[in-house]
Amino acid sequence: DSLPPYALLDRMLELFLEHRWTAEAIAEELNIEVELSRSIIKTVYFNEFKRRQMPPTLRVSRKAWVGRIYPIAQRFRE
């Protein structure tokens, strides 16, 4: 219930994870409160441990998740 509508959330995550936009830039682009943008980014960082508990998967976007040090699929070339 604390998350925005999925269409908005998906766009926010795309801008943050794939394009590495700041919270302020996301808020300005989507015409939302900066605090909402910061809250979503904070949630992404807070739940990073859950990603580490998941089984390995292949990367499906152009950029790895924020904070990832090494890609799981080694010797991957685009």
Side-chain angles (χ1 to χ4, degrees), residues 21-65:
W21 285 26
T22 65
E24 292 76 16
I26 293 170
E28 185 177 327
E29 173 73 18
L30 300 178
N31 197 24
I32 59 173
E33 296 283 331
V34 175
E35 285 307 313
L36 175 61
S37 183
R38 286 184 184 143
S39 171
I40 297 301
I41 291 171
K42 180 180 175 184
T43 302
V44 168
Y45 281 124
F46 181 76
N47 290 311
E48 173 68 18
F49 77 95
K50 290 181 181 179
R51 275 191 59 254
R52 297 186 189 280
Q53 293 175 345
M54 291 180 1
T57 57
L58 292 176
R59 187 176 85 170
V60 294
S61 67
R62 293 178 189 228
K63 295 192 178 194
W65 286 73

